[in-house]
Amino acid sequence: MLESILPIFSSRSFIFIYVYCVRRCSSFILLQERMLKFHQVKHIFDILDKMRCLRKRSTISFLGVLVIFLLFMNLYIEDSYVMEGDKQILRETSTHQLSPEHYIHTFKDLSNFSGALNVTYRYLAVMPLQRKRFLTIGLSSVRRKKGSYLLETIKSIFEQSSYEELKEISVVVHLADFNSSWREVMLQDITQKFAHHIIAGRLMVIHAPEEHYPVLSGLKRNYNDPEDRVRFRSKQNVDYAFLLNFCANISYYYVMLEDDVRCSKNFLTAIKKVIASLEGTYWVTLEFSKLGYIGKLYHSHDLPRLAHFLLMFYQEMPCDWLLTHFRSLLAQKNVIRFKPSLFQHMGYYSSYKGTENKLKDDDFEEEPFDLPDNPPASLYTNMTVFENYDASKAYSSVDDYFWGKPPSTGDVFVIIFEKPIVIKRIKVNTGTEDRQNDILHHGALDVGENIRYFKQNRQCITYIRLGEFRSGNFEVSDVNQKIPFDIHCMRIYVTKTQKEWLIIRSISIWTS
């Protein structure tokens, strides 16, 4: 996987990261030293002020204040020097072609680095959070030549969430345009329309000042893009990096949206179900839309290094391409995308030059009805699995499936739940539109109890049959009224050998 992306990186990248991190560490040490100086001066001042033998207290107080003032001036000047030094590193790095030398070592160092970027934000509308939320929704917005969709996007987020869901989300809007007049107008519109959400701490509006940005002119024209296009997408990478950096400690999870998006009903509940179904599984990015940088979900603890990653390679390629490399470098080989999509692109005009952008996600559902719960479980089959179409892909909402070679009588596909559950409804679909004959032609579905260990594997020793497959599909409701026990296992049982291969497209379970 690394070989496919190595050509985009530079021999200077390791030096850049090393110097960058050293500067950051030095900045932190300098800050500690300055704070120590401050406390020492304050202590001396207190002692002097209490000395009864000194008559001219006013003079001493004045001198003390003067010393403290000079100390803060020194702190400000040194901080400015550190930031200018960082920007100089970015300028020097940006003038050299990236290549593979030392790159793997560079990212290994970065993957262990969780420090925040040194950015001073302007808090345009922020209320202190009382507690950590479940999900932060991040939006970055700039002025468009045609159309404006930001307010509609924010409105959709709040309107499509229940009262209980609103307690678990925070929305952060980064007004990233350098035009202050536009920012003032947008801020006024946002505060007028969503004042109660701001007061409740559900909506925050920030801005990262222009002086924190790296050089945005004379950049490399990769892919033969025009200069203004390169500048636009490079700045967008930095916009997102600063947004991610700000959001790192607000919640446990983070989802990125663009500023022209419509949300599905109760999208947070759907996301929670997906996360619960993947408990114990390693993942870096979950995708809830197939378009651009829409609906991409991360662990919040990954945001600092993602921010650094975008900032390091801001001029190399568009952000959604960089995100693919980030995911791969953190050892998630395959895309994990869920259907139906929870977010839809609604903008007609692009934020780049106002060009037309009619992209739509045809997997989006405004009100995805009755999403399954699929509680945590382990899966097992004795069928011959084809390539990497393993059993777990049939049990999630990932846009993928289980695919096995022709099954024989007695073959099984078993789901063993982590805890006994009460099931309300079960639905299993086999085959796909382009492989309509790869269905389970003869099979049944059983549920079981009484877990026992056999050769280090858990198995149920008692099963009850719920019914037979019809035309490759199975569905049953009111299971809890038909089964007198909490269910430990569920299995698909092949009742007759078939010559066709078998695709299990989806297994959906609703608990009561």
Side-chain angles (χ1 to χ4, degrees):
M1 181 62 70
L2 283 174
E3 288 80 4
S4 65
I5 65 170
L6 285 176
I8 71 169
F9 297 112
S10 144
S11 60
R12 298 282 180 126
S13 59
F14 178 76
I15 298 173
F16 165 68
I17 296 297
Y18 178 77
V19 177
Y20 185 88
C21 293
V22 168
R23 287 283 182 95
R24 286 283 178 255
C25 294
S26 300
S27 176
F28 179 74
I29 294 170
L30 285 171
L31 180 60
Q32 287 183 316
E33 293 175 351
R34 290 177 212 135
M35 292 304 295
L36 179 60
K37 291 178 184 177
F38 173 79
H39 289 298
Q40 290 173 340
V41 171
K42 184 176 183 298
H43 182 62
I44 293 170
F45 175 78
D46 289 340
I47 293 172
L48 290 173
D49 196 51
K50 293 177 181 178
M51 292 177 62
R52 297 180 180 179
C53 61
L54 295 176
R55 298 178 181 178
K56 297 181 180 181
R57 286 193 174 190
S58 59
T59 303
I60 295 172
S61 300
F62 173 77
L63 290 174
V65 171
L66 180 61
V67 170
I68 293 172
F69 173 77
L70 291 174
L71 182 62
F72 273 107
M73 284 297 293
N74 179 59
L75 184 148
Y76 174 79
I77 291 169
E78 289 183 10
D79 272 348
S80 299
Y81 172 78
V82 171
M83 179 55 72
E84 285 301 318
D86 290 337
K87 293 193 329 190
Q88 180 63 29
I89 294 171
L90 288 170
R91 292 190 188 101
E92 292 171 357
T93 305
S94 67
T95 60
H96 300 281
Q97 180 66 32
L98 295 173
S99 70
E101 188 176 352
H102 300 306
Y103 175 69
I104 297 176
H105 300 292
T106 298
F107 195 78
K108 184 177 180 181
D109 290 343
L110 176 65
S111 67
N112 295 322
F113 185 67
S114 58
L117 299 173
N118 188 9
V119 180
T120 303
Y121 297 89
R122 292 177 184 168
Y123 300 95
L124 306 182
V126 176
M127 291 292 288
L129 287 175
Q130 301 300 318
R131 60 181 177 83
K132 204 167 187 176
R133 305 293 173 91
F134 182 84
L135 180 70
T136 298
I137 302 158
L139 305 167
S140 182
S141 185
V142 296
R143 180 177 48 168
R144 294 171 181 259
K145 291 189 176 181
K146 291 183 180 181
S148 179
Y149 311 99
L150 176 59
L151 297 178
E152 285 299 312
T153 299
I154 299 172
K155 179 182 177 182
S156 178
I157 292 171
F158 292 133
E159 284 190 347
Q160 297 291 65
S161 301
S162 68
Y163 177 73
E164 292 301 319
E165 289 172 328
L166 288 175
K167 296 178 182 178
E168 297 297 326
I169 66 172
S170 288
V171 180
V172 178
V173 177
H174 179 201
L175 296 182
D177 203 282
F178 296 152
N179 185 296
S180 59
S181 298
W182 176 83
R183 293 199 308 270
E184 290 172 4
V185 171
M186 288 307 304
L187 179 61
Q188 184 176 6
D189 289 343
I190 292 171
T191 53
Q192 286 179 352
K193 293 180 181 295
F194 306 106
H196 60 296
H197 290 297
I198 294 173
I199 293 171
R202 286 190 291 267
L203 175 61
M204 292 175 271
V205 186
I206 63 169
H207 171 67
E210 185 175 1
E211 57 262 28
H212 293 303
Y213 279 71
V215 62
L216 294 172
S217 60
L219 304 175
K220 290 182 294 182
R221 293 178 59 185
N222 294 343
Y223 318 109
N224 203 32
D225 283 344
E227 187 174 344
D228 59 345
R229 173 69 179 175
V230 172
R231 184 185 189 280
F232 172 82
R233 61 172 169 79
S234 298
K235 179 185 178 296
Q236 187 178 55
N237 284 333
V238 184
D239 295 342
Y240 284 138
F242 290 161
L243 173 60
L244 292 162
N245 182 66
F246 180 86
C247 295
N249 294 310
I250 296 175
S251 61
Y252 299 102
Y253 299 95
Y254 173 90
V255 67
M256 180 68 81
L257 299 185
E258 295 180 4
D259 64 349
D260 53 355
V261 168
R262 190 168 77 251
C263 306
S264 67
K265 191 73 173 175
N266 302 122
F267 64 89
L268 176 62
T269 298
I271 289 173
K272 278 188 168 184
K273 286 185 176 183
V274 167
I275 292 173
S277 72
L278 292 174
E279 185 177 345
T281 303
Y282 177 78
W283 58 268
V284 177
T285 310
L286 304 182
E287 301 189 7
F288 294 90
S289 171
K290 64 182 179 182
L291 300 180
Y293 203 0
I294 298 174
K296 306 305 184 281
L297 183 81
Y298 303 91
H299 297 277
S300 290
H301 59 68
D302 282 334
L303 297 187
R305 50 186 171 182
L306 177 55
H308 281 283
F309 186 77
L310 290 177
L311 189 59
M312 279 192 297
F313 305 113
Y314 73 103
Q315 64 170 311
E316 296 302 322
M317 59 185 66
C319 55
D320 46 336
W321 295 10
L322 281 174
L323 296 173
T324 300
H325 295 309
F326 179 80
R327 184 201 74 223
S328 299
L329 287 165
L330 290 184
Q332 180 186 314
K333 294 182 179 180
N334 301 315
V335 173
I336 305 177
R337 188 170 76 82
F338 295 86
K339 294 171 63 175
S341 296
L342 301 179
F343 306 99
Q344 177 66 287
H345 178 259
M346 68 175 176
Y348 186 77
Y349 296 105
S350 168
S351 52
Y352 171 65
K353 281 191 170 183
T355 55
E356 290 187 5
N357 183 359
K358 300 179 180 180
L359 285 175
K360 296 294 180 185
D361 189 337
D362 51 14
D363 292 325
F364 173 75
E365 291 183 11
E366 184 90 34
E367 295 191 23
F369 81 99
D370 214 10
L371 292 173
D373 299 301
N374 283 22
S378 56
L379 289 84
Y380 160 79
T381 182
N382 60 353
M383 303 178 202
T384 303
V385 180
F386 176 62
E387 293 186 351
N388 64 338
Y389 293 89
D390 56 79
S392 63
K393 294 182 177 178
Y395 188 61
S396 70
S397 299
V398 176
D399 188 19
D400 215 334
Y401 46 79
F402 164 80
W403 199 4
K405 295 184 178 181
S408 303
T409 302
D411 283 351
V412 293
F413 185 106
V414 182
I415 301 172
I416 304 172
F417 302 108
E418 287 189 2
K419 300 177 181 179
I421 61 172
V422 177
I423 295 179
K424 182 179 179 181
R425 179 180 163 213
I426 300 171
K427 183 178 180 181
V428 181
N429 298 111
T430 66
T432 61
E433 289 186 8
D434 56 340
R435 296 186 178 276
Q436 297 183 11
N437 210 35
D438 286 2
I439 63 174
L440 182 57
H441 294 273
H442 305 281
L445 190 135
D446 308 325
V447 292
E449 62 173 343
N450 297 328
I451 287 283
R452 294 290 185 272
Y453 284 88
F454 296 93
K455 298 180 181 179
Q456 297 182 342
N457 291 323
R458 295 188 305 156
Q459 297 182 23
C460 284
I461 61 173
T462 304
Y463 278 97
I464 293 179
R465 181 146 299 177
L466 280 178
E468 306 283 334
F469 277 75
R470 297 282 184 264
S471 302
N473 299 312
F474 178 90
E475 184 169 6
V476 61
S477 299
D478 301 322
V479 177
N480 53 326
Q481 297 178 18
K482 300 173 182 177
I483 301 299
F485 52 80
D486 291 351
I487 295 171
H488 291 75
C489 309
M490 188 180 93
R491 75 178 180 189
I492 298 169
Y493 187 89
V494 179
T495 56
K496 185 177 179 180
T497 300
Q498 62 185 56
K499 61 181 180 179
E500 297 82 8
W501 288 34
L502 173 62
I503 290 175
I504 301 179
R505 188 171 75 250
S506 63
I507 300 173
S508 302
I509 297 172
W510 289 263
T511 58
S512 60

